[in-house]
């Protein structure tokens, strides 16, 4: 998340594909692009907008594609922030709908920030978020096509809600990671020490070098070395599921438990325990908590649990140095990288492993759900 995500109009900056960037530039050019003008609908004037159906025709002609293909391309441009529906109510389609280029109106859209609202003074949209976290992101993600601004936990921010909008986050020319997260998130990922900041909070050459070291943990050979640990966890859980029987089986908690154990084993090299589960739950709750660090608060509990988990990770580092596991966990991979990279101190390795754990749970869980769905569609497997 970042308050100032770009120093140039986002509609041009975010396109990695030069062909799409050229198309976007032509589309916005008054001499070559779509017709932009003030338009009226039911006695209301909409400033500086274009008609979606006309834009579909323009894209189809310019790109030499069919109208349905032009709609899909236009939807991609919309998700990338080039334009938005004037009332943020519609996805781009081949209909008489008014759309507006980012940064071309007087409605507060300056072209340097995504669409959205900062909400009420001081608190922004924090209370709305805490009232319904999934609903908050679902409603705004749908309205703003996955990429929107908000004011959460006393910080202005940008929220990236889908794969295409994440292209913005990986463009170093328009994103500043350092000092871009809420202070209590920074504390969670660094212990309040800038020198210990994880890769998602640093920029420039430091970021590139750290990322290269971390990616060694996800090479093809590294991932293959994790398989024995993952298979042990999967087999243990499958035996338990069989013993419990289908009538007692609850897929969501069962899969979460499996994924947590897998991540503990191959990322941290730790055996899961009730205490470890509680610590992780406390840490995750702290991210959405009010940034109030007083005894008994959710944030304080999360930070205390983080310290306990970091202590366990440090013990694991020392044990691994004495009895190396030869690449079977992310711990050993990072220690191997640290041997040739003096910037990877033990503190940084511990925080990066914590970062792996926090960031890894969701995709691992999603992958398991996807695999189960695919297996359920296989008649031969279902018969067994």
């Amino acid at each position: 998340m970042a308050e100032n995500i770009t120093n140039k109009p986002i509609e041009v900056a975010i396109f990695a594909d030069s062909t799409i960037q050229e198309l976007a530039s032509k589309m916005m050019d008054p001499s070559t692009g779509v017709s932009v003008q003030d338009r009226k609908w039911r006695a209301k004037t909409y400033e500086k907008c274009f008609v979606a159906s006309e834009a579909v025709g323009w894209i189809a002609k310019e790109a030499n594609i069919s109208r349905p293909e032009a709609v899909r391309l236009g939807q991609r441009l919309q998700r990338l922030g080039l334009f938005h529906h004037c009332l943020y109510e519609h996805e781009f389609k081949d209909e008489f709908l008014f759309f507006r280029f980012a940064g071309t109106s007087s409605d507060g859209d300056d072209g340097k920030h995504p669409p959205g609202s900062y909400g009420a003074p001081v608190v922004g949209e924090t209370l709305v978020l805490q009232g319904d976290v999934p609903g908050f992101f679902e409603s705004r993600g749908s309205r703003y096509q996955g990429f929107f601004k908000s004011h959460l936990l006393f910080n202005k921010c940008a929220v990236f809600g889908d794969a295409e909008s994440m292209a913005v986050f990986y463009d170093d020319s328009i994103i500043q990671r350092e000092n871009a997260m809420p202070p209590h998130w920074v504390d969670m990922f660094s212990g309040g020490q800038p020198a210990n900041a994880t890769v998602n909070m640093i920029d420039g050459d430091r970021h590139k070098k750290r990322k290269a070291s971390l990616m060694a943990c996800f090479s093809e050979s590294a991932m293959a070395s994790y398989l024995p640990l993952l298979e042990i966890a999967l087999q243990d859980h499958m035996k338990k599921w069989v013993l419990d029987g289908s009538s007692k089986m609850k897929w969501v908690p069962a899969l979460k438990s499996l994924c947590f154990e897998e991540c503990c084993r191959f990322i941290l090299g730790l055996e899961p325990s009730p205490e470890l589960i509680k610590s992780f739950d406390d840490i995750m709750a702290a991210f959405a908590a009010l940034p109030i660090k007083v005894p008994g608060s959710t944030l304080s509990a999360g930070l205390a649990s983080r310290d306990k988990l970091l202590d366990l990770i440090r013990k694991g580092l020392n044990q691994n140095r004495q009895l190396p596991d030869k690449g079977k966990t992310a711990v050993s991979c990072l220690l191997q990288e640290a041997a040739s990279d003096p910037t990877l101190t033990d503190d940084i390795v511990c925080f990066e492993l914590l970062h792996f754990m926090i960031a890894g749970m969701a995709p691992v869980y999603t992958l398991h759900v996807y695999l189960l769905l695919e297996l359920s569609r296989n008649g031969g497997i279902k018969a067994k």
Side-chain angles (χ1 to χ4, degrees):
M1 298 197 296
E3 180 174 351
N4 295 311
I5 64 168
T6 179
N7 295 317
K8 50 189 174 180
I10 195 168
E11 66 272 16
V12 173
I14 64 177
F15 299 122
D17 188 317
S18 59
T19 302
I20 295 180
Q21 182 168 341
E22 182 180 355
L23 180 70
S25 298
K26 286 184 178 181
M27 188 175 182
M28 295 174 61
D29 191 325
S31 62
T32 61
V34 296
S35 173
V36 175
Q37 59 188 37
D38 295 349
R39 302 175 188 273
K40 284 190 175 182
W41 176 253
R42 294 182 177 175
K44 181 176 180 179
T45 299
Y46 296 87
E47 299 179 357
K48 300 177 182 178
C49 59
F50 61 86
V51 177
S53 57
E54 295 178 3
V56 170
W58 184 91
I59 294 173
K61 181 178 180 181
E62 189 69 27
N64 192 27
I65 55 179
S66 67
R67 291 186 76 90
E69 290 173 326
V71 169
R72 289 193 291 272
L73 180 53
Q75 289 172 348
R76 182 182 179 191
L77 294 173
Q78 181 184 5
R79 287 193 296 271
L80 289 171
L82 179 66
F83 51 73
H84 58 79
H85 181 250
C86 288
L87 298 179
Y88 296 102
E89 292 179 349
H90 292 280
E91 187 175 27
F92 184 76
K93 60 186 73 174
D94 196 356
E95 295 181 10
F96 188 74
L97 297 169
F98 295 163
F99 281 76
R100 181 180 291 140
F101 288 115
T104 59
S105 75
S106 58
D107 61 3
D109 179 2
D110 61 3
K112 294 185 178 181
H113 297 83
S117 170
Y118 288 135
V122 184
V123 297
E125 297 189 297
T126 300
L127 298 180
V128 181
L129 169 69
Q130 292 193 313
D132 182 6
V133 175
F136 175 86
F137 290 109
E138 182 178 352
S139 63
R140 283 153 181 77
S142 175
R143 182 176 184 183
Y144 301 118
Q145 286 74 51
F147 184 33
F148 59 94
K149 66 185 178 186
S150 186
H151 189 177
L152 303 172
L153 306 172
F154 307 110
N155 288 270
K156 292 180 178 179
C157 60
V159 179
F160 304 86
D162 61 21
E164 287 210 81
S165 66
M166 280 300 293
V168 179
F169 188 72
Y170 294 117
D171 188 337
D172 290 338
S173 67
I174 59 174
I175 284 290
Q176 175 185 315
R177 296 177 182 84
E178 187 175 355
N179 299 321
M181 289 189 175
H184 68 295
W185 286 29
V186 175
D187 192 2
M188 183 65 75
F189 281 124
S190 68
Q193 301 297 319
N196 294 337
T198 48
V199 68
N200 55 325
M201 298 192 298
I202 56 179
D203 296 302
D205 292 339
R206 186 183 175 201
H207 173 84
K208 293 177 181 177
K209 185 176 181 180
R210 177 79 59 81
K211 184 177 179 180
S213 295
L214 298 182
M215 289 307 294
C217 297
F218 303 99
S219 66
E220 186 174 344
S221 60
M223 296 297 287
S225 71
Y226 304 152
L227 286 178
L229 292 175
L230 298 178
E231 289 176 349
I232 291 173
L234 180 58
Q235 289 171 2
D236 289 346
H237 279 259
M238 289 183 70
K239 290 176 182 177
K240 183 178 182 300
W241 296 344
V242 171
L243 291 174
D244 286 345
S246 59
S247 61
K248 295 183 179 180
M249 184 66 177
K250 295 182 179 179
W251 281 108
V252 172
L255 285 176
K256 285 185 177 179
S257 176
L258 169 61
C259 295
F260 183 77
E261 180 171 338
E262 289 177 335
C263 288
C264 281
R265 288 178 183 272
F266 89 84
I267 293 177
L268 305 180
L270 298 174
E271 291 290 332
S273 66
E275 293 76 18
L276 197 58
I277 293 172
K278 184 181 184 307
S279 292
F280 189 75
D281 287 343
D282 287 346
I283 291 170
M284 297 306 294
F287 280 98
L290 289 172
I292 301 173
K293 191 160 58 172
V294 297
S297 69
T298 302
L299 176 57
S300 294
L303 291 173
S305 291
R306 176 211 60 189
D307 291 340
K308 292 179 183 178
L309 184 53
L310 287 174
D311 286 341
L312 289 174
I313 295 173
R314 288 189 181 94
K315 291 178 182 178
L317 293 185
N318 293 329
Q319 291 173 358
N320 195 280
R321 286 193 174 99
Q322 296 172 8
L323 298 170
D325 61 20
K326 298 181 180 179
K328 293 180 181 178
T329 66
V331 174
S332 61
C333 285
L334 279 187
L335 286 178
Q336 290 171 19
E337 289 297 310
S340 58
D341 182 358
T343 66
L344 282 177
T345 64
D346 277 9
D347 283 341
I348 288 177
V349 169
C350 287
F351 277 109
E352 289 292 4
L353 288 169
L354 175 65
H355 178 211
F356 282 178
M357 190 72 183
I358 292 170
M361 275 291 292
V364 170
Y365 176 78
T366 302
L367 178 60
H368 280 70
V369 172
Y370 173 77
L371 289 174
L372 281 174
L373 288 173
E374 288 300 305
L375 289 173
S376 70
R377 297 188 180 106
N378 187 307
I381 291 177
K382 288 181 69 175
K384 294 181 181 180

